Amino acid sequence: MAGLTTSLIWIISSLTAAGYAYRFPSHHLHHLHRRDTTWTALGCWTDGVDGTRTLSAATYTDTVNMTIESCVNFCSTGSNSYAYAGVGYAQECYCGNYFFSGATNVSSSDCDMACTGNAGEFCGAGNRLDIFWSGVQPPAPPILVPSVGNWSLLGCYNDSATRALPYGTGVTGSVTVESCTTACYNAGYPYAGMEYADECYCGMTIENNSGPTPDAGCDMTCAGNSSENCGGSYQLSIYKYTQAITVAPVVNSASLSTVSPVTSGLTGNWTYGGCYVDNVNGRVIGNEFDSSNMTVESCIANCAGQNFTIAAIEYSTQCYCGDYLINGATKGTDSECNMACGGNAIEACGGPNLLSVYSSNGNITLLPVPVLQTTNLPGKWVYEGCLAEPSTGARIFQYENEWDTNNTVDACLNQCAAFGYPVAGLEYGAQCFCGDVSDITAANGTYVSDSQCNMACSGDPIHLCGAGNRLSTYYWNGTMNTWNTPANTGYYEFLIGGLVVPLIATVGINNKVTFLEKWGTSEYDNSTGAYELDLSLVDNYQLAWREMHVKTDVFCSGSIILPDLGGRQINVGGWSLSSTFGVRLYTPDGSPGVNGTNDWEEMLMSLHFNVADASLEILPAPPGGDTVVTLDYLQRTDPYNLYPFLMVLPSGRFFIGYYNEARILDPVTFDTVTVLPNMPGAVNNFLAGRTYPMEGSAVLLPQYAPYTDPIEVLICGGSTIGAAIALDNCISIAPEVPDATWTLERMPSKRVMPCITTLPDGTYLIMNGAHQGVAGFGLATDPNLGAILYDPSQPIGQRISILNNTIVARLYHSEATLLPDGRVLVSGSDPQTNYPNGSRVYPEEMRIEVYVPPYLNRGLMQPEFKITETDWKLGGQYIITVTLFRGTTNTMRISLVAASSSTHGNVMSGGRILFPAFSCSGNTCTITAPPNAYVSPPGWHQLFILDGPTPSHSAWVRIGGDPAQLGNWPDYPDFTKPGV
């Protein structure tokens, strides 16, 4: 079966994107129809700015089943007839007729938390709401009612945990100005205050140094009347009774009824644990659920249903759940928790900042006031300070993780470091941000008092993780990424104008470049879709191009060079119908300066392959049996696995990389031998992918004689589902070592749809692509115009050098191909991205460029060599005669770069490069060919010598012959068979 493993092996799904109509989960459901209204997405908005909700009317939380549809339904049903609905923090729904004046529209990428009830929808994020509009104009905005009966408005006053009006009271129905003032009158108090839309407080005087604040702070709509405002966050709308009150004041209005805690008859092992003081140092428990019909039993049922061990009820209607009390909670007296439950007038449900606490196991764990974690930090991290987010509502750092239950300082710092980010920020208890110092500078970030970062971490309640719009910020004290900036960067250079927008570029063994294009993309109506470029004639546009022909559309196909005697190029697959089954062959002929006469050969009725989605097919068909092998893991990961990476390993097995997974396959049965760890993705999205449409690029790292070191695979770039933020890292793995793991190195910029070209010195040129988007027409923006160099001979984290820039956007369907003189040919780009008026944002690119790498930009002469024998046997020895202009044969290197074809970020040879053993006597050198077909699968290679850093022009050599006898295939009269 050795010949079988060196036959043409294809992952069919990698070649035929046709037949897949994929759609990334839309960020919002843009239109939701309900009754006679159409709800429209308004985008992502800030929430909780200065502690104030953007939509402050009705609200509910569903930790399991929240969806956009359920929230819209809630906000448009019965008494909840509001103009706007907003979903936030994955599980929260808010309604309202008005936006808080401080709310701002921000990037949709900020709203990146999946809904708890539908992972295909986004439900805002921390301090972010996805907001929808019913299409109905809202009523007139609410106001601070100037007077109600004998009650007159004093204005908006600041409040605190010690309360300006100390006596909280329940009201009949929902909170309005009328219901609150009535309740305070009946309780014997001349001052009434409404806060946070649904809280009512009374007092004999205004206490605790509370004073007037701007009325704009009291802009939360009353829960019971959408035309009135009822305070804000720690802001009271205060009214004074202007006549004498004859009713004697009560200690607390709730004492008008006799209430007590529930001490018996509770479900399971739940028991009463006492009355605890809340909010002295911040909330002592989270996971809030509000209901006007709250009872002790309903709160316990809510918490037990979420597997919490503590249930706590506050202010008659507020239920909180958790496993412990935080922020230095202290126990009060039972008599202080004297407000009747909203749904049971004889049960005690806490009070203002007082919690009636129940436990399922008899234990109530009290944790101290959390503090900043500034010691015992992992790695080289140091605490920097409390960083304020910009007042505009924009984020300082782009990359956000939402860890509702497990955010800790250590976890956040380790996550940022693992992906190469030297700054970490923790916000709102549950948010971990990663970025760079430059992000802070660009956002004009400012540091504030550490006391403003006062929220406990969701996974570590004794340490602080920022607060609303405040980041506990940490820096890496050292160099995390070394991106070299050499003086010699090489340069881009215009080569020639093109005739096509190439989809595939292949350098043939005649040293000419063939281009194939998707039908209909050329600027010329008479384009044949196939042309060959003579590099020796690029100064003469009329002579440089030779017209060729294909019979079917090659869009979404793939190519390689066969190991037969003629070095035929085979192209398989296509866009639709008969093209999908196409097999096309071209035997390169002619020579530099001399036109060939051969053309692409294609006869669908004679030769085609059997397309099977998510499968592997062998060409030519081996004796007996089905040549199509269905691969369940490709079925499972469809459609994110097109153009998978397939490479022969030195063991004879195959490496396959697809979507964000990888495995090793048996070469005979194609069964899985090893499932490798999933590929790391983005720092905030482990579902990022590396193959089309979230397209990265992959190559094998160099192999050196005697070929005993484990081979490594390098994959760079990719993108994410949804927001389609390109990845800014490369990952590598030695797949056949025990317990193989991925190593991640951050790149200096994001890149999706990159091209990687193997250079003769064993480095890799990475270029083309975009900072945002995915592969496909009109699906990417912001071209990445810079080239970088990856040098695997350097230490991890120091391998990347920043090279030069181009002015030409190279997006979808761009290529980069090594030329025989050591330059890199850069071609293509077919983004089909249009402005609304139909004009192009980026053109269909016909210009051909070359990149001159630094090794050709030193003013040094390229070495030369002569070779007579170019058909090599495995393990054989072959003589070349060299001419060096700088060094000696003692410092000379020799490399073999496998023939390849470039399309869709996939280097179809795997970018294989070998450095064979050789010895020299004078200027005559003997090269030992690679030992077997697994180290070097049979095929054509460009042979280079390197004089110091400078490569020669290449010569084509065939190594290992044609053991599968592809040169005698296909046995049809329509095709040329060059022999083996």
Side-chain angles (χ1 to χ4, degrees), residues 649 664 674 676-677 708-712 733-741:
L649 300 173
I664 299 173
T674 305
L676 296 168
T708 54
D709 291 336
I711 198 169
E712 294 182 77
I733 193 171
E736 296 197 292
V737 303
D739 301 318
T741 58

Side-chain angles (χ1 to χ4, degrees), residues 353-407:
N353 290 318
L354 292 162
L355 291 158
S356 298
V357 179
Y358 293 80
S359 170
S360 66
N361 56 21
N363 296 321
I364 298 177
T365 302
L366 304 179
L367 297 178
V369 176
V371 296
L372 289 166
Q373 185 174 341
T374 59
T375 60
N376 298 318
L377 299 172
K380 296 182 179 180
W381 290 99
V382 295
Y383 176 69
E384 185 68 16
C386 183
L387 180 64
E389 294 272 28
S391 58
T392 59
R395 295 290 194 191
I396 290 178
F397 303 114
Q398 175 182 359
Y399 298 105
E400 176 186 355
N401 290 288
E402 292 281 346
W403 295 334
D404 294 346
T405 60
N406 59 349
N407 194 31

Side-chain angles (χ1 to χ4, degrees), residues 105-421:
N105 190 209
V106 294
S107 169
S108 62
S109 62
D110 279 15
C111 289
D112 58 0
M113 293 186 69
C115 303
T116 59
N118 186 342
E121 296 178 353
F122 288 99
C123 281
N127 287 329
R128 294 294 185 271
L129 290 177
D130 277 317
I131 294 183
F132 299 83
W133 177 44
S134 69
V136 176
Q137 292 300 322
I143 61 171
L144 285 172
V145 178
S147 63
V148 174
N150 291 324
W151 293 84
S152 294
L153 175 70
L154 295 183
C156 188
Y157 281 65
N158 63 290
D159 198 13
S160 66
T162 52
R163 295 300 177 194
L165 301 176
Y167 303 104
T169 183
V171 301
T172 301
S174 298
V175 170
T176 65
V177 175
E178 292 81 0
S179 65
C180 182
T181 53
T182 298
C184 290
Y185 178 88
N186 290 337
Y189 293 100
Y191 289 89
M194 295 110 256
E195 183 169 323
Y196 214 74
D198 62 356
E199 298 176 1
C200 177
Y201 296 92
C202 311
M204 297 299 295
T205 60
I206 299 174
E207 301 179 12
N208 294 310
N209 298 313
S210 174
T213 61
D215 286 351
C218 289
D219 63 352
M220 296 185 74
T221 306
C222 296
N225 189 335
S226 61
S227 69
E228 300 176 346
N229 281 332
C230 282
S233 176
Y234 282 110
Q235 301 285 314
L236 279 164
S237 305
I238 294 185
Y239 291 78
K240 183 178 181 181
Y241 193 70
T242 57
Q243 303 295 322
I245 292 182
T246 58
V247 180
V250 295
V251 174
N252 190 292
S253 60
S255 63
L256 295 173
S257 316
T258 301
V259 298
S260 60
V262 179
T263 57
S264 62
L266 296 174
T267 184
N269 295 318
W270 286 86
T271 57
Y272 177 63
C275 179
Y276 284 80
V277 180
D278 190 17
N279 218 21
V280 174
N281 301 295
R283 291 293 186 189
V284 300
I285 191 169
N287 303 294
E288 180 179 358
F289 166 68
D290 294 347
S291 172
S292 60
N293 296 314
M294 184 66 65
T295 66
V296 171
E297 291 81 1
S298 65
C299 182
I300 288 175
N302 173 64
C303 296
Q306 300 179 69
N307 295 316
F308 289 112
T309 60
I310 290 179
I313 312 99
E314 181 171 326
Y315 204 77
S316 295
T317 59
Q318 300 167 353
C319 171
Y320 298 88
C321 307
D323 292 316
Y324 34 72
L325 301 184
I326 63 173
N327 281 324
T330 58
K331 197 170 186 179
T333 62
D334 288 348
S335 61
E336 292 178 281
C337 287
N338 54 17
M339 291 187 72
C341 297
N344 189 324
I346 65 172
E347 292 182 355
C349 277
N353 290 318
L354 292 162
L355 291 158
S356 298
V357 179
Y358 293 80
S359 170
S360 66
N361 56 21
N363 296 321
I364 298 177
T365 302
L366 304 179
L367 297 178
V369 176
V371 296
L372 289 166
Q373 185 174 341
T374 59
T375 60
N376 298 318
L377 299 172
K380 296 182 179 180
W381 290 99
V382 295
Y383 176 69
E384 185 68 16
C386 183
L387 180 64
E389 294 272 28
S391 58
T392 59
R395 295 290 194 191
I396 290 178
F397 303 114
Q398 175 182 359
Y399 298 105
E400 176 186 355
N401 290 288
E402 292 281 346
W403 295 334
D404 294 346
T405 60
N406 59 349
N407 194 31
T408 69
V409 173
D410 282 13
C412 183
L413 302 189
N414 287 332
Q415 180 75 356
C416 295
F419 285 82
Y421 296 98

Side-chain angles (χ1 to χ4, degrees), residues 718-758:
S719 194
T720 59
I721 298 173
I725 304 300
L727 304 184
D728 63 356
N729 58 64
C730 293
I731 56 174
S732 58
I733 193 171
E736 296 197 292
V737 303
D739 301 318
T741 58
W742 292 96
T743 297
L744 185 143
E745 298 171 90
R746 189 175 168 208
M747 296 189 291
S749 60
K750 295 174 287 189
R751 200 180 297 260
V752 62
M753 298 179 291
C755 296
I756 303 181
T757 302
T758 303

Side-chain angles (χ1 to χ4, degrees), residues 768-820:
N768 300 356
H771 294 99
Q772 186 278 331
V774 294
F777 296 120
L779 299 179
T781 59
D782 193 8
N784 192 324
L785 302 177
I788 60 175
L789 191 71
Y790 184 90
D791 184 354
S793 69
Q794 298 302 309
I796 293 290
Q798 302 177 37
R799 294 179 169 182
I800 293 176
S801 295
I802 299 173
L803 300 186
N804 224 319
N805 296 327
T806 181
I807 60 170
V808 180
R810 301 285 185 184
L811 300 168
Y812 187 43
H813 290 174
S814 64
E815 304 84 31
T817 308
L818 178 66
L819 296 178

Side-chain angles (χ1 to χ4, degrees), residues 917-930:
F918 68 92
S919 61
C920 298
S921 177
N923 66 340
T924 300
C925 298
T926 301
I927 304 172
T928 301

